[in-house]
Amino acid sequence: MTAVNWAAFAEAEPDLARVVEDRFGAFTHHVLATLRKDGSPRTSGLEVRFVGGELWLGMMPGSLKALDLRRDPRFSLQANPGEGTGMGGGDVRISGRAVEVEDGEARAGYVKEVEPPQPFHLFRTELTEVVRTCVEDDTYLVAQVWKPGEPVRTLKRT
């Protein structure tokens, strides 16, 4: 499956990218799903950053989620829905693969921008799907689904 970084997604679908980034920016903590050794899912809290055209996942050294991603890079990231049931801006999810960045200019740029506690694991993401689900006119459940190389598909149901 083709995967792209955040900048490529934002260039292809700027309106959806802005909504997704705003949803992740509204709260600090989000939910990351990874795969354990036995293939079962693991969910963990996580902070994310959009820096330099990339969506970054930073983690404490030796954390189980980091070890999961080293073993199997597939992930799904759910934005914090916030308080209550309003979910202003909708419910958003990003799926893809996480690639660990251990040194180099990209890591140095992240460190300069974010100033994370040291040491830490840093992963850049390669997106395979972005989904936004919301309610429209108090009537329709609307899902916007984007995959690399395809336009956004909008699905509505009552």
Side-chain angles (χ1 to χ4, degrees):
M1 176 180 279
T2 303
V4 301
N5 72 353
W6 182 259
F9 163 64
E11 184 178 323
E13 296 295 340
D15 293 338
L16 181 57
R18 196 168 18 264
V19 169
V20 171
E21 205 166 327
D22 287 348
R23 287 294 299 124
F24 277 99
F27 296 93
T28 303
H29 296 96
H30 307 286
V31 178
L32 176 71
T34 58
L35 296 169
R36 300 171 190 256
K37 284 183 205 177
D38 67 2
S40 63
R42 178 191 319 271
T43 58
S44 307
L46 181 75
E47 295 180 28
V48 303
R49 298 294 179 110
F50 297 88
V51 175
E54 300 285 356
L55 169 58
W56 298 98
L57 312 177
M59 300 167 205
M60 291 173 35
S63 65
L64 293 175
K65 58 192 161 200
L67 299 177
D68 287 347
L69 290 173
R70 281 181 161 178
R71 186 177 45 261
D72 186 328
R74 293 176 293 172
F75 74 91
S76 190
L77 180 63
Q78 184 86 30
N80 185 328
E83 296 181 27
T85 58
M87 289 196 323
D91 181 51
V92 297
R93 177 178 44 85
I94 298 170
S95 297
R97 291 186 296 276
V99 178
E100 191 162 16
V101 177
E102 298 188 58
D103 55 22
E105 195 174 311
R107 185 177 175 96
Y110 177 88
V111 168
K112 183 178 179 182
E113 178 77 22
V114 178
E115 299 179 356
Q118 300 285 337
F120 69 103
H121 294 285
L122 181 63
F123 295 85
R124 69 174 177 76
T125 59
E126 296 177 346
L127 313 182
T128 56
E129 182 179 63
V130 177
V131 178
R132 174 183 181 237
T133 306
C134 62
V135 175
E136 188 177 285
D137 299 329
D138 292 326
T139 304
Y140 301 101
L141 180 65
V142 178
Q144 294 174 288
V145 181
W146 173 86
K147 294 182 179 184
E150 299 176 15
V152 171
R153 285 184 306 129
T154 301
L155 311 163
K156 283 187 178 183
R157 65 179 181 171
T158 55

